[in-house]
Amino acid sequence: MEKRAFLAVFLSALVFILYQYFYLSKIDTTQIKPEPVKGEEQSAPPKSPLPPQTEILVKEDAAAEERVIEEREIKVNTGVTDVVLTNKGGKVKAVYLQEYKAKDGKPINLIKEAEDRFLPVRLDFADKKFSDVINSAVFDVAGTEDVINLSQDKKNSTVKFFYKNSSGLEVSKEYTFYYNDYKIDVSIKTDGSALPAGGLSYQVLWGPGLRADGNSDGYSYEGPTSFINSELVSDKLDKGKQVYHEGDIGWVAVQNKYFMAAIIPVIKENLKGVIKTSDTGDLSAGLEYVSANGKIDNRFILYAGPKENERLKTYNVSLEKIIDFGWFDFLARPLFKVLKLFYKFTHNYGIAIIILTGIIKLIFFPMSQKSFKSMQKMQKIQPELKIIQERYKNDKQKLSQEMMRLYRENKINPIGGFLPVIIQIPVFVALYNVLMYSIELRQSPFIWWIKDLSEKDPYYITPILMGATMLIQQKMTPSGGDPMQAKIMLIMPVIFTFMFLNFPSGLVIYWLVNNVLSIGQQYLIYKDKKKKG
């Protein structure tokens, strides 16, 4: 019975891991009604055609403008990012993260290559031609600086774009940057008589998706995530589809394992969250508004950067919730804080992981010791237990009574061996998620051959050692006497070794150290038993 219980616990832990590793969707979106979209540049179908004055604007082109404006790029260095803006549509062309490098050593750019009219931050209206005019127009730029460097002495700067044509349409976009920060305050306004007088919806979008950073493991969730009514919502869309979210819109974002781009509304009236894909599968995410009296006067915050827990918390919009530590989030976040505390002293996350593992093992030492001793008692009564099982194999009630009598006489709690192990599972799963998804481990070295704790061990040394220590543990664990169960338990180290070959080395180190400490604990218990005779 004891061996079966331990097998159940072992398999339960495996199920937890596999569930966290492979299950990507977080919230069922079957109740969201998708609507078809004919392309990336098209937004929600209008309820009524645009008024005649809009058609005047649609017929405008660059040749009709009074003067030719040259295309320009403005580069803003915030200290943590190098942002490239283009005056073609007044959009963001590139966001380079200075502190995060790709595998070629160059700063990561969050924006995928795309036509200028599809870059963030773009405006989509119900009418495609109307959208194309706005997103393809060459804006004028206030100021002559092409390069802006922020510093302690210059902590913020605003870049202003203006567009006006002979039909009367006026559009302005303003981007305000802050020193040592990834957030950008954005203001968009329109004026003139070109927009319809009321009822026109428009979308402010980030797209198309995020550029791959080279750290995708094929299992971590990548895609749109929204914070609606204080809950995370993730959507899976076919090509050419879109979904709306209504309620309290906290933010709408696109994410991959370590990075994100989020649009955070400042004005929340007449607001919806929108996620859509083009016919080619390109993803866009953002907010849909209704213009007031035929005009746009809108403000929102754009965050494009790393999923750093402490930084995201400073914005006070629950942006840190996008770092999903799973079912045991309430345990994962305190463990994460402790891990970072150890890092401050060691300056090495590998050493910090070892220290944290040791402390967790120390906390659970009394429980583990009780579990080992209970297993030893169970092993001792195995011969008598087998006799009872054989004698009363056809009488379930009598079998149960005799087994309980045997446990009582030998002062054995039948669940005493595996209950302490079950209690430890939530802690293990929580720490597993912390080590799996924390950006702090990205490109963080440990020793010698391990240059990146977020990547697999390039020589598979640690997972092989981990498997070996699991095998030693199995050999040291008291056997229940069932040959089939013993074989199954011996197979587990092989399964875990192959599964952990491609896991982040930081996670493998945790498991390896935990196994070594468990072996040492079992050795001390056996040694103490021999002394007592």
Side-chain angles (χ1 to χ4, degrees):
M1 175 179 177
E2 182 70 12
K3 198 65 178 180
R4 290 196 184 104
F6 264 91
L7 178 59
V9 171
F10 223 160
L11 293 176
S12 296
L14 180 60
V15 169
F16 265 114
I17 295 169
L18 294 178
Y19 179 89
Q20 293 283 325
Y21 203 55
F22 293 106
Y23 188 73
L24 302 181
S25 299
K26 300 178 183 66
I27 294 180
D28 183 14
T29 58
T30 55
Q31 301 200 5
I32 302 171
K33 297 179 180 179
E35 298 182 22
V37 176
K38 293 183 179 179
E40 172 69 15
E41 66 281 350
Q42 183 179 338
S43 65
K47 294 182 178 179
S48 60
L50 292 172
Q53 63 265 39
T54 304
E55 295 301 321
I56 298 173
L57 171 64
V58 169
K59 295 177 182 178
E60 293 289 334
D61 57 25
E65 296 183 9
E66 295 181 1
R67 65 187 180 90
V68 176
I69 303 173
E70 293 183 357
E71 292 185 26
R72 285 178 58 188
E73 290 185 355
I74 296 88
K75 298 178 181 179
V76 183
N77 176 6
T78 69
V80 290
T81 59
D82 286 304
V83 180
V84 180
L85 302 173
T86 174
N87 68 333
K88 190 171 184 181
K91 295 192 287 295
V92 184
K93 193 170 185 178
V95 177
Y96 294 100
L97 307 182
Q98 296 179 11
E99 298 178 1
Y100 295 94
K101 304 294 193 292
K103 292 185 177 180
D104 60 4
K106 297 179 180 178
I108 285 175
N109 178 13
L110 294 181
I111 298 180
K112 295 173 67 175
E113 292 184 6
E115 295 181 38
D116 287 344
R117 62 195 180 107
F118 294 138
L119 292 171
V121 173
R122 81 172 191 269
L123 292 171
D124 270 8
F125 295 85
D127 185 87
K128 177 185 179 300
K129 293 181 180 179
F130 193 82
S131 300
D132 286 345
V133 169
I134 300 293
N135 292 314
S136 299
V138 180
F139 284 57
D140 206 345
V141 186
T144 57
E145 287 183 298
D146 286 337
V147 178
I148 301 171
N149 293 305
L150 300 185
S151 63
Q152 289 285 1
D153 297 325
K154 186 179 182 180
K155 292 192 174 182
N156 61 73
S157 182
T158 299
V159 179
K160 300 180 180 180
F161 295 101
F162 299 92
Y163 172 74
K164 182 177 181 179
N165 65 15
S166 57
S167 68
L169 175 68
E170 298 179 13
V171 180
S172 69
K173 286 187 176 183
E174 296 184 4
Y175 296 88
T176 301
F177 298 86
Y178 299 89
Y179 175 64
N180 200 34
D181 205 338
Y182 294 96
K183 79 167 185 175
I184 307 170
D185 288 343
V186 184
S187 173
I188 301 176
K189 296 181 181 180
T190 65
D191 206 345
S193 59
L195 292 183
L200 177 65
S201 64
Y202 65 97
Q203 298 173 349
V204 177
L205 299 167
W206 172 283
L210 284 180
R211 184 189 291 259
D213 66 336
N215 284 97
S216 176
D217 53 21
Y219 304 101
S220 303
Y221 176 76
E222 298 184 3
T225 301
S226 307
F227 195 64
I228 314 294
N229 298 323
S230 299
E231 292 185 356
L232 288 177
V233 179
S234 297
D235 300 295
K236 290 185 177 181
L237 277 70
D238 294 330
K239 294 179 181 179
K241 300 290 184 180
Q242 71 179 4
V243 296
Y244 290 109
H245 296 290
E246 299 186 43
D248 181 10
I249 312 294
W251 42 264
V252 179
V254 178
Q255 66 163 316
N256 57 29
K257 185 175 182 178
Y258 293 126
F259 303 99
M260 62 181 293
I263 295 180
I264 308 162
V266 174
I267 301 171
K268 293 195 174 185
E269 290 79 11
N270 301 316
L271 175 67
K272 295 179 182 178
V274 60
I275 310 292
K276 64 182 183 179
T277 56
S278 69
D279 289 337
T280 58
D282 286 331
L283 172 68
S284 294
L287 305 171
E288 179 169 297
Y289 297 86
V290 176
S291 63
N293 300 318
K295 297 182 180 180
I296 295 174
D297 187 353
N298 196 1
R299 289 175 292 117
F300 58 90
I301 298 170
L302 172 64
Y303 178 90
K307 290 155 66 172
E308 296 176 356
N309 185 72
E310 295 305 315
R311 184 186 292 272
L312 296 180
K313 287 174 66 176
T314 63
Y315 300 114
N316 297 316
V317 291
S318 299
L319 207 56
E320 71 278 5
K321 297 290 186 181
I322 200 168
I323 306 173
D324 187 8
F325 287 136
W327 292 349
F328 302 109
D329 183 274
F330 65 96
L331 289 173
R333 294 189 185 275
L335 287 171
F336 179 64
K337 287 184 178 180
V338 175
L339 183 67
K340 291 192 71 174
L341 177 64
F342 292 147
Y343 176 75
K344 286 183 180 179
F345 293 101
T346 63
H347 303 290
N348 186 307
Y349 270 110
I351 296 174
I353 290 169
I354 292 172
I355 295 173
L356 181 58
T357 306
I359 289 177
I360 291 174
K361 197 67 182 175
L362 188 64
I363 292 172
F364 285 110
F365 181 85
M367 289 186 180
S368 299
Q369 191 173 31
K370 185 177 180 181
S371 175
F372 289 142
K373 288 182 177 179
S374 178
M375 291 171 65
Q376 287 178 330
K377 288 182 180 180
M378 288 293 294
Q379 184 183 34
K380 187 177 180 179
I381 67 168
Q382 281 301 311
E384 191 173 350
L385 186 62
K386 283 189 174 182
I387 292 172
I388 292 174
Q389 289 172 338
E390 182 64 29
R391 182 178 298 169
Y392 300 106
K393 62 182 179 181
N394 297 321
D395 189 341
K396 300 284 186 181
Q397 185 176 356
K398 187 65 175 177
L399 174 62
S400 178
Q401 291 174 351
E402 288 298 311
M403 288 175 65
M404 294 306 297
R405 177 191 60 78
L406 183 63
Y407 293 147
R408 188 166 54 251
E409 289 177 355
N410 290 274
K411 298 180 180 181
I412 296 174
N413 183 347
I415 64 171
F418 69 90
L419 185 58
V421 180
I422 291 178
I423 294 173
Q424 295 179 57
I425 287 177
V427 176
F428 160 72
V429 175
L431 188 56
Y432 160 85
N433 283 325
V434 167
L435 300 178
M436 192 75 169
Y437 300 115
S438 295
I439 193 173
E440 284 75 8
L441 268 65
R442 183 182 183 274
Q443 295 184 346
S444 181
F446 178 38
I447 55 171
W448 302 323
W449 73 98
I450 299 179
K451 306 297 184 183
D452 187 345
L453 287 166
S454 70
E455 292 283 347
K456 68 180 182 180
D457 185 328
Y459 302 109
Y460 305 109
I461 295 173
T462 50
I464 291 172
L465 288 175
M466 186 210 70
T469 55
M470 285 188 70
L471 188 61
I472 294 171
Q473 270 189 288
Q474 292 295 332
K475 292 291 186 181
M476 293 179 70
T477 301
S479 173
D482 188 327
M484 181 58 69
Q485 290 179 10
K487 288 180 181 178
I488 292 174
M489 294 304 290
L490 287 174
I491 291 174
M492 295 302 290
V494 178
I495 295 174
F496 271 65
T497 299
F498 277 101
M499 188 171 69
F500 272 55
L501 287 177
N502 294 310
F503 270 26
S505 53
L507 181 63
V508 182
I509 289 169
Y510 159 70
W511 197 299
L512 171 60
V513 173
N514 184 70
N515 287 351
V516 171
L517 293 176
S518 296
I519 290 170
Q521 183 179 8
Q522 285 176 278
Y523 174 77
L524 290 176
I525 292 172
Y526 289 144
K527 189 176 181 181
D528 181 64
K529 182 183 176 182
K530 285 184 178 180
K531 282 184 179 180
K532 292 179 180 180

